[in-house]
Amino acid sequence: MAEINHFEYGWITPALSYALSVLGSILGLVCAGRIRTARTNRQRAWWGLLSAWALGGTAIWAMHFMAMLGFAVENTRIRYDVPLTAASTAIAVVAVGIGLAIVGTGRLNPVRLIAGGVFTGAGVASMHYTGMAAMRLNGSLGYDTVRVVLSVVIAVVASTVALWLAMTVRRGLAIFASALVMGIAVNGMHFTGMSALSVHRHERAGEVTGAGVSTLLVPIVLAVLFGVVGLLYALLAAPTDDDRAAAAYLDGRRLAEPAPSTPTAAPDPVGLRARSTLGQPGTPFPSRRDTPPR
């Protein structure tokens, strides 16, 4: 059995993975809050997609990959199968998106919350073990059944709590505190699942195929950066509740103002307005001298 090191670079990789999970949780919770205030189904779907990407793509999957940077096995190189790695990303985003759709449509109740939490937790666990299956090394992987089950339970509980927070938390300080808790839960699930792993090294060293960590690191970091920037731009560009209230107030004032009345002509008892020459500038006022004699 080969020796495994989960923290090859010390505290750097777990600290960065926790920071990513907290950042993704904050963005995901804020986007999920916009689902409740959206007025159309199209807006709800848009904010649900952004929340799923923030939670599933950044808080869960990017955290998983960052933590895997510190994973090392004695006397063997580690490579990754690119299609399986991409599939693990899609599993995380889709699972969170479906979970948000379950709890976000209709009135929130315990049945919806538990169903969404179970589905999302199963998806998160599937993402984790799909990402582990994408590893290529000179050995075979084995898992402790009890710890695997424990990691799945943690994933389900953490997902249920995350969905409940996404549907109930609204204020900034509460969102930040909830993101800290969610970061602990996500990292706890990951390292619990990693503790169940054992590697049995092959006697004959064979060629390890696949993409190296350095090959995947640059595109993943760029995807995370562009994703975070895009989420921040979407949040800043979208109108807030205060903006909607101000627009409604201005619309109300505009409708309440009376329409401008058409000016009416002043009375003309002596018929001066009938004399067209008086309406022309520079025309002298008529007098009796100009009147021809009879």
Side-chain angles (χ1 to χ4, degrees), residues 137-189:
L137 47 82
N138 187 30
S140 57
L141 305 181
Y143 294 94
D144 179 74
T145 305
V146 176
R147 295 188 182 185
V148 169
V149 172
L150 180 60
S151 67
V152 175
V153 171
I154 294 175
V156 171
V157 174
S159 299
T160 305
V161 173
L163 292 176
W164 178 75
L165 292 173
M167 292 295 106
T168 56
V169 174
R170 297 184 180 183
R171 296 187 177 182
L173 185 59
I175 290 176
F176 181 72
S178 301
L180 295 178
V181 175
M182 290 172 62
I184 295 174
V186 171
N187 281 265
M189 178 269 162

Side-chain angles (χ1 to χ4, degrees), residues 14 17-23 25-26 59 63 158 176-191:
S17 64
Y18 180 73
L20 279 174
S21 62
V22 171
L23 175 61
S25 298
I26 292 174
M63 169 268 148
F176 181 72
S178 301
L180 295 178
V181 175
M182 290 172 62
I184 295 174
V186 171
N187 281 265
M189 178 269 162
H190 172 81
F191 287 107

Side-chain angles (χ1 to χ4, degrees), residues 28-157:
L29 290 174
V30 174
C31 291
R34 299 297 178 90
I35 298 175
R36 299 189 298 267
T37 59
R39 298 182 177 180
T40 63
N41 292 331
R42 184 176 180 180
Q43 292 177 352
R44 295 187 188 95
W46 169 248
W47 288 116
L49 178 63
L50 293 182
S51 181
W53 173 254
L55 292 173
T58 303
I60 297 173
W61 187 87
M63 169 268 148
H64 166 84
F65 185 82
M66 182 58 64
M68 289 303 298
L69 293 179
F71 178 76
V73 180
E74 183 185 14
N75 296 329
T76 181
R77 295 184 301 175
I78 298 177
R79 296 290 185 266
Y80 292 90
D81 182 88
V82 176
L84 275 179
T85 302
S88 65
T89 310
I91 290 173
V93 175
V94 171
V96 174
I98 295 178
L100 288 171
I102 292 174
V103 300
T105 55
R107 186 175 182 180
L108 183 63
N109 55 58
V111 176
R112 286 180 178 273
L113 183 60
I114 294 174
V118 169
F119 188 92
T120 305
V124 170
S126 300
M127 177 280 304
H128 174 81
Y129 290 105
T130 301
M132 297 301 296
M135 286 196 309
R136 299 290 180 263
L137 47 82
N138 187 30
S140 57
L141 305 181
Y143 294 94
D144 179 74
T145 305
V146 176
R147 295 188 182 185
V148 169
V149 172
L150 180 60
S151 67
V152 175
V153 171
I154 294 175
V156 171
V157 174

Side-chain angles (χ1 to χ4, degrees), residues 229-240:
V229 171
L231 288 169
L232 290 175
Y233 176 79
L235 289 171
L236 293 176
T240 62

